Amino acid sequence: MQHPVLLVGNDINNISKGQSWKDLLQEILTFCGTDCVLLDDKKPFPLLYEEIFLTAIRQSHIREKDLKAFIAGKVAAIAGNELHARIRELRPEHILTTNYEYTLEGVTPTQHSSLITERSFSIFRKYTVDQTECWHIHGDCLNPMSINLGFEHYGGQLQQMRNYVVSGTTYSSPQAPKLPLLRRLRAGANFQVHSWLDLFFTKDIHIFGLSLDFVETDLWWLLTYRARQKYQRNTIPVTNKLSYYIPAEFVKQSAFKLDMLRANDVQVVDISAKTKLAYYQEVLKRVKQA
């Protein structure tokens, strides 16, 4: 495939040496002075973040701005690895990522190429490097308050997403499209990509390195809405293909999630490999051949 479109999650960073997610959570607890908060895998992270932050407010009057700046500094230190370089070698047309740092770009950008400047949410958040448009759909390190972590932020992001797709944006900037995505797609002629959301309805997307846990309410809403447009409402043409890659060893334990992905018109591609690195090498090989 020439110039593919990718949605890439955090797991590709796990090839790099450095602190684990659990280590970072512990550092966040220490920074907030909330060691009384228990880390438990049963706690969905967006709610765990709220527990940590709200506990810190009551105990030490911490500002969320300071907390997110601390997290941004830690995440920005993540080192790139050979997978990031191989992804760039594919010369993707678009890279969508839930990651906050710039390992996929290979450089820390100095200027965004977004349609508008966003402080909190990420409908248009984009950096262009070597003709690849990199969309940070959950915020980025240069703008700590945009980093999507808590339940409240997820709710606000979803609200902005639904406005963009269904009812139209409320941004004051004249650059932001006022017509909702659905109406622009129905019009057809001279359609322009303004947001990463446009790509979910118009481009084939390869999804990997992303667990797509159900706490990702914004992405699950988008998948469901797209599938309903295709199979129930049928008011716009939805002909693109979404492919989700998963290691074969995780298929059985992830069956419930994979069933839901298939129901939402996502093709599941399982790959057997001996190591994580070998798995991602095979993913990129298949993307290139698609």
Side-chain angles (χ1 to χ4, degrees):
M1 169 180 282
Q2 284 193 333
H3 309 302
V5 178
L6 314 175
L7 170 53
V8 185
N10 184 66
D11 191 55
I12 63 166
N13 291 339
N14 292 328
I15 302 294
S16 303
K17 294 181 179 179
Q19 68 176 183
S20 67
W21 180 246
K22 188 174 182 179
D23 293 335
L24 177 58
L25 286 178
Q26 192 58 58
E27 290 192 24
I28 292 172
L29 291 180
T30 301
F31 177 81
C32 293
T34 52
D35 292 333
C36 61
V37 174
L38 298 178
L39 300 181
D40 191 317
D41 291 340
K42 295 184 181 67
K43 296 179 179 180
F45 178 74
L47 288 174
L48 173 62
Y49 174 84
E50 299 292 352
E51 181 185 7
I52 294 171
F53 176 58
L54 294 172
T55 301
I57 288 177
R58 295 199 304 272
Q59 292 183 350
S60 57
H61 305 288
I62 192 171
R63 297 187 305 171
E64 188 168 28
K65 180 179 179 180
D66 296 331
L67 172 56
K68 288 196 171 183
F70 171 79
I71 294 172
K74 291 293 181 180
V75 173
I78 294 174
N81 58 52
E82 65 176 272
L83 289 178
H84 300 102
R86 291 194 178 199
I87 288 171
R88 290 192 294 273
E89 287 172 3
L90 291 176
R91 301 189 66 79
E93 182 181 7
H94 300 274
I95 298 177
L96 292 69
T97 183
T98 54
N99 301 345
Y100 314 126
E101 86 296 333
Y102 310 101
T103 47
L104 286 163
E105 286 94 332
V107 296
T108 300
T110 57
Q111 181 64 44
H112 71 72
S113 54
S114 313
L115 190 66
I116 65 172
T117 299
E118 295 173 291
R119 291 183 174 84
S120 297
F121 302 115
S122 301
I123 305 302
F124 306 100
R125 190 173 304 280
K126 179 181 67 172
Y127 299 94
T128 303
V129 178
D130 292 334
Q131 297 184 315
T132 294
E133 298 190 330
C134 299
W135 305 83
H136 286 263
I137 68 177
H138 282 172
D140 69 288
C141 290
L142 289 177
N143 302 276
M145 286 305 292
S146 73
I147 293 178
N148 195 352
L149 294 165
F151 202 67
E152 194 278 334
H153 201 145
Y154 268 94
Q157 172 80 357
L158 179 51
Q159 180 181 24
Q160 297 299 325
M161 288 170 59
R162 199 174 194 285
N163 286 347
Y164 182 86
V165 173
V166 182
S167 59
T169 67
T170 57
Y171 294 96
S172 59
S173 170
Q175 301 299 321
K178 296 300 184 286
L179 291 178
L181 171 60
L182 293 185
R183 287 185 60 183
R184 292 192 294 119
L185 284 173
R186 278 198 290 268
N190 301 318
F191 180 82
Q192 292 182 308
V193 172
H194 295 305
S195 165
W196 62 272
L197 292 161
D198 300 332
L199 304 174
F200 266 81
F201 295 85
T202 59
K203 297 283 188 177
D204 292 349
I205 301 178
H206 299 268
I207 307 169
F208 58 89
L210 184 66
S211 64
L212 264 179
D213 291 333
F214 296 134
V215 299
E216 306 282 9
T217 50
D218 54 342
L219 292 177
W220 279 102
W221 171 81
L222 185 59
L223 292 175
T224 300
Y225 193 85
R226 174 186 175 275
R228 281 177 173 264
Q229 283 297 321
K230 183 172 184 176
Y231 296 117
Q232 179 194 20
R233 299 185 177 94
N234 199 27
T235 56
I236 59 170
V238 180
T239 59
N240 63 318
K241 183 171 71 174
L242 307 180
S243 300
Y244 180 79
Y245 296 82
I246 184 172
E249 62 189 285
F250 296 139
V251 167
K252 185 176 181 180
Q253 69 192 63
S254 303
F256 63 97
K257 179 174 67 178
L258 301 183
D259 287 344
M260 293 187 179
L261 284 171
R262 294 187 186 99
N264 282 282
D265 192 44
V266 179
Q267 177 184 350
V268 175
V269 182
D270 62 273
I271 295 176
S272 297
K274 292 182 178 180
T275 65
K276 185 186 291 286
L277 178 59
Y279 163 73
Y280 282 115
Q281 288 172 337
E282 180 63 23
V283 169
L284 296 181
K285 178 182 175 181
R286 296 199 188 188
V287 169
K288 186 175 183 180
Q289 294 173 344

